[in-house]
Amino acid sequence: MRAQRMQRTLPSLVLRLLFLGTVAMGKCSGKYHELLLQLQRQADLMQDPSTLLDPYVLLQGLHSPILKEHCRERPGDFPSEDALWKLSRQDFLRTLNATLGLVLRMLSALQQGLPEAAQQQAEMYIRGFGNNIHCMTQLLHSFSDPEAAEPTPPGPGPTLPPPLPTPPSTFQRKLRNCGFLRGYHRFMHAAGQVLRGWGERRGHSLRHRPRRALQRGARRTRPFLEVRRLVPRGQLPR
Amino acid sequence: MALFAVLQTTFLLALLPLRTYQSEVLSEPLPLTPESLNVSINSTKQCLHLQWTVHSLDYHQELKMVFQIQISRFKASNVIWMGNYSTTVKRNQVLHWSWESELPLECAMHFVRMRTMVDDARIPAPRFWSNWSSWEKADAQSSLGDQPLYVFPKDKLVEEGSDVTICYISRNHQDNISCYLEDELTYGKQLDQNVWAFELKNVSFFRKSGTNFYCKGRGIPEGLVLFVSKVLEEPKDFSCETRDLKTLTCTWDPGKDTGLIQLPSYTLFESFSGKKTLCKHRNRCDWQVTQDPQETYNFTLVAENYFRKRSVNILFNLIHGVHPMAPYNLFPKNVNATHATMTWKVYSIGNNSALLCQLQLLGEGKVIQQHNVSVRVNGEYLLSELEPDTDYMARVCCAYADHFWKWSESISQKFTTGEAAPSEAPDVWRDVTFVSGHPTVTLFWKPLAKVHTNGKILFYNVVVENLDEPSSLEVLSVPAPANSTKVTLNQSSYQIHVTAHNSAGPSPASTVAISGHPGNENVEEGRMNGTEDGFPMSWKPQSRNATGYVVEWCDGPQNLPCILRWKNLGPTTTGTVISSGAFRPGVRYNFRIYEISTKRMAHLLEKKAGYLEELDNSVCCKYTIDNPDEKTFVVKALQPESVYEFLVTPYTSAGEGPLDDFTKVTTPDEYSHILLHIILPMIFCVLVVMITCYLKSQWLKDKCYPDIPDPYKSSVLSLIKFKENPHITIMNVNDCVPDAIEVVNKPEGSKTQFIGTRKSPTETKGTKPTYLDLLPTEKNYSGPGPCICFENFTYNRAASDLGYCGHFPVTPQAPPCQLGPLTSPENLLKTLEQNYMNSLGEIPAGEANLNYVSQLASPMSGDKESPPTNPPEPALCSEYKMQMALPLGLASPPPGEDSSLSSTTLSDPSQRH
């Protein structure tokens, strides 16, 4: 247990330094690939169930096979990976941000149900990830034409758990929270895949554009990665 | 009949007033039935809540009544509980009563009815129960949804050790439902067709987040969490104290945690003032002392949780519980070698009450001094009798002077006293040797003990005083930690004073007197035996004025450099035991005993020698030679590279003769002769191998790659030399007379290079002389640029066979010796293909070796100075060319043609390749 905590502590320290670096400087890194890489790594770390789900299961005594089997993500809690792939980059980031905001609220509600260290670490991850989302949004903004920068409605964002007909028992809440945390890790895995796709699909970025954006035709901004390739950082072709 | 009717009426009329009187004064003994019985369910508390009224009472009546209650489960006839409830009832009063069910109420329908009886002393017996009320139904199941499975209660808070009943309701009785307490399958009993109950006895604490009980049918498991609280313990060690007479702090040991997120509450009551405070901590509570100080407090601490309430009490006197704060700012002041003043401060208590402070002085972890000081604000104390240059620690704690209860926490401070001059003279001894009649004195001294140094010894002063010349003083300063020095003197008498110095000053001097002349060394050496304790020895004093004696010896064996040791003894001492950890058995030690005169002069008194322990024959190597004529004796089994001492002494039947000096022998290295036996043959073998290799390489060289003939050392030159110019070293072709052709037969079908002919190599195969055409003649010379080509067919045989040598019939279009075909793309490609194919293994291994090219006569590599007219090409013409000087006229290309690289190369001897 202690060793596990140690294993989790080291990467968390590294990440904290990364996050603190960004926050302390008060400005975002303008390096797209650096930022993307950070987001990918953060997503990789956050999708690891040992950071949140496993401590919760252990603390709540949900480790029996039957209960584990029913610790399932409820449909609608988090967007599916398919849905994420269909989003534009801006919408994707917006969705990500909104979802993590919800997770953050859930974590606050779970205060007594999680080991303190795990909870603090998860919150730190999410806040750091949020910073980088913000920076990435700004960066994408700076590379897009004004039209592209216009606000778009958020994608299939997170949904709050629907109210139960009767107040849920503690047992039901345990299973529910367990499923939610499982969904969170799944969602972060999916987000990591999408972010990895950003890195891999240089020059094929149109594929990850919303259908609506494609229909609007050539007046939309050129695909980000094409711009990246042709123009030095911070400059746009006129 | 009529009379009977009249009498009856009269009797009734007579009774009526009595009846009226009775009803006005006493209760009517008639049964009173409970009315408006209402049953409700409190699921959280698992309670049936009953309320009802008794209407039949008079307005002013107040009767004590008993209500008998029956509770049935599932059906009215299944009575599970019956009990009485007594209370005083007024008219129209709504009565309440609750019943807690061990079975969750959702799992079964309940029925309740009651009846009543007047139980008032004012009503004479007999008493009657009223009729039962009608059954009232309590049905919690009706409010449930349509879930297939329900488990009740929803959550449950219980104390460790209690019993809990859990039930489930399955809508589909065909479902196979299993229930688990944590991971353990639990078996229950069926209460109804769809209802099962589980009795958990003596539940124990699992974790703070509760114990999970769940049932699993076809769908999602349903369950509950049992929050088990450990039994709340009574607070222990409850006590109060004050640090400043302004705030009271009460502390206690709350015992083990109840294991729930909800902590027990702790409340402090004070009975004299009637005040109470809710404590913020589970083991401590603060209580503010009012302006009008209350001296005595009666505190009650109440610990309370959902299940229990525990309390402890204490009577506390404020003055008796003063625990001062720790003093602060403890510093040493005016520290010297033996004194230090310690100062500190204390927090004031009340109206500057006095504190009793205890100052402790610690040295090496032990309390050396302890002093009590009365302090109001500032404390000060002078510590004396300190040791110089010593580390100390001062420690101070304080207590309330008016009523001692507890020392405060202590503070401590380290300090070091200053240095003082060393308190003792160093213990000095000397070793005197005479070189050319002049005494050379080596002075030794022992380092002072820590208690005498009083600081760090920096250096030793050696003052040499010539007693014959009082004005002559020589001062030597020897830096510490040296413990000896050498002084060369003349033949005068001297006194040498040695002092040790630290930063505070010198120690007392230690004096040694030296005579300029050797003393009496002819003292007979006595023998002695060592014991376990060392060497015991005694001597006879020579002078009555001796101030002391010194025994000196060397710690190590005689063959090693002497580590001089000495021992000072008092003037009355005539014997001692010399012990040393360095003494070893089987080693001879020599001791010299000196008497010290009043003038500090040392006179040799006695010499003694002996062994601490004489080892036996087998180890000590003591041999007995029985034959008096034997003059040699071989001692075997000695250790290599070791030093041995031996002596031979005669013996008779009376005993051994005198012991002479030992003779030293050092045994040689054990392995040197062995190495000699190995190394010499090895060197010989290596030499033989080297010679063989050399001969073999020479043979190979002769066979495979003989020396390239040097044209400057050609035998032809010797012919030219004596003709015209004896100094000529390079053969000029013009000087040659083509009067002889040497033909060398070549056994194989090798090709001959024809210079100046138009015949192809294939035409000449096997028919022409095979080695060379030495010089062109007018007959066969058909072109302007013949060249001479010596070929060594040992090299690049394959290339030669393929005709890549480049020696082609010279035509006007083809300048002489130009390797035109090689530079053409077709030939190059062909060659490359050939080489490539060879590399793929088409060439047998033997042939492939023949492709080794020793010297490439590339036309491009010849002339470094002339600009290359063609781009460099791979030197495919891998022939060996014997380099010869060419006639310029023949070799020069036509005007406008590229110059022949090979011809120009040869014209410059310095650029030979």
Side-chain angles (χ1 to χ4, degrees), chain B residues 292-369:
Chain B
D292 181 20
Q294 177 186 346
E295 194 170 321
T296 308
Y297 294 81
N298 185 11
F299 283 120
T300 301
L301 175 70
V302 179
E304 189 174 4
N305 73 353
Y306 185 80
F307 301 102
R308 287 173 194 269
K309 187 186 270 192
R310 305 274 201 182
S311 64
V312 285
N313 184 268
I314 188 178
L315 198 63
F316 172 70
N317 190 311
L318 187 66
I319 303 301
H320 295 175
V322 180
H323 181 203
M325 302 280 280
Y328 61 102
N329 283 358
L330 173 65
F331 293 116
K333 196 172 74 175
N334 302 331
V335 181
N336 59 32
T338 54
H339 292 78
T341 303
M342 301 305 300
T343 62
W344 67 94
K345 292 186 175 181
V346 296
Y347 294 99
S348 63
I349 291 182
N351 296 325
N352 270 355
S353 302
L355 291 180
L356 174 71
C357 291
Q358 188 178 68
L359 170 65
Q360 290 181 324
L361 180 71
L362 291 90
E364 296 177 346
K366 293 176 184 172
V367 177
I368 302 167
Q369 297 179 19

Side-chain angles (χ1 to χ4, degrees), chain A:
Chain A
M1 190 73 184
R2 206 169 170 181
Q4 282 180 353
R5 190 171 291 177
M6 276 298 292
Q7 282 174 358
R8 285 197 291 266
T9 308
L10 277 176
S12 88
L13 275 175
V14 172
L15 272 178
R16 282 177 198 189
L17 285 174
L18 283 173
F19 303 155
L20 285 175
T22 312
V23 175
M25 284 189 298
K27 59 178 183 180
C28 293
S29 163
K31 297 173 182 172
Y32 170 76
H33 286 288
E34 194 178 278
L35 206 51
L36 182 60
L37 195 64
Q38 272 197 21
L39 280 167
Q40 287 168 3
R41 285 177 181 164
Q42 287 170 328
D44 286 348
L45 207 65
M46 291 158 78
Q47 60 97 31
D48 182 4
S50 68
T51 57
L52 213 50
L53 178 63
D54 292 351
Y56 183 80
V57 165
L58 199 66
L59 192 72
Q60 300 296 336
L62 302 176
H63 42 268
S64 75
I66 293 173
L67 297 181
K68 267 190 172 176
E69 183 195 332
H70 286 88
C71 171
R72 294 178 191 151
E73 176 188 355
R74 279 169 55 143
D77 276 3
F78 293 94
S80 68
E81 188 174 334
D82 280 348
L84 293 179
W85 278 111
K86 287 173 188 166
L87 293 174
S88 71
R89 295 186 178 206
Q90 296 278 9
D91 287 347
F92 170 75
L93 293 176
R94 214 166 284 142
T95 303
L96 207 55
N97 199 38
T99 308
L100 291 179
L102 177 77
V103 175
L104 216 49
R105 272 187 283 153
M106 281 292 288
L107 286 181
S108 301
L110 280 178
Q111 226 167 25
Q112 300 284 351
L114 269 169
E116 196 181 343
Q119 191 195 6
Q120 285 178 355
Q121 179 183 288
E123 283 185 6
M124 197 71 84
Y125 286 173
I126 291 172
R127 290 185 202 288
F129 197 76
N131 285 343
N132 280 345
I133 289 174
H134 169 74
C135 292
M136 182 57 94
T137 308
Q138 278 196 339
L139 196 64
L140 291 179
H141 217 77
S142 69
F143 282 111
S144 307
D145 62 23
E147 193 182 346
E150 72 191 24
T152 51
T159 54
L160 281 165
L164 292 170
T166 52
S169 67
T170 307
F171 181 77
Q172 286 170 325
R173 277 203 305 272
K174 280 186 177 186
L175 277 185
R176 181 80 185 83
N177 294 338
C178 186
F180 185 85
L181 294 177
R182 188 176 292 284
Y184 160 70
H185 291 306
R186 198 273 309 151
F187 172 72
M188 289 315 299
H189 175 76
Q193 294 297 106
V194 173
L195 288 167
R196 228 177 299 286
W198 289 16
E200 287 167 2
R201 294 173 187 178
R202 304 183 72 169
H204 301 282
S205 57
L206 274 172
R207 191 172 165 186
H208 190 216
R209 292 184 70 79
R211 198 171 301 154
R212 179 172 46 81
L214 289 173
Q215 284 168 353
R216 283 208 276 178
R219 265 166 45 80
R220 294 281 296 188
T221 48
R222 274 183 276 175
F224 171 77
L225 285 171
E226 285 182 16
V227 175
R228 265 297 288 175
R229 265 191 308 141
L230 296 172
V231 185
R233 186 163 55 86
Q235 294 176 15
L236 280 173
R238 298 289 177 194

Side-chain angles (χ1 to χ4, degrees), chain A residues 58-67 69-70 72 112-113 165-175, chain B residues 143 147 154-155 180 182-183 207 209-216 218-225 227 261:
Chain A
L58 199 66
L59 192 72
Q60 300 296 336
L62 302 176
H63 42 268
S64 75
I66 293 173
L67 297 181
E69 183 195 332
H70 286 88
R72 294 178 191 151
Q112 300 284 351
T166 52
S169 67
T170 307
F171 181 77
Q172 286 170 325
R173 277 203 305 272
K174 280 186 177 186
L175 277 185
Chain B
S143 60
Q147 271 182 238
K154 287 216 167 185
D155 292 317
Y180 302 85
E182 288 294 313
D183 300 338
R207 63 179 78 83
S209 60
T211 307
N212 298 322
F213 180 93
Y214 56 94
C215 297
K216 169 83 173 65
R218 284 185 186 169
I220 299 170
E222 286 293 331
L224 62 104
V225 178
F227 292 99
I261 294 166

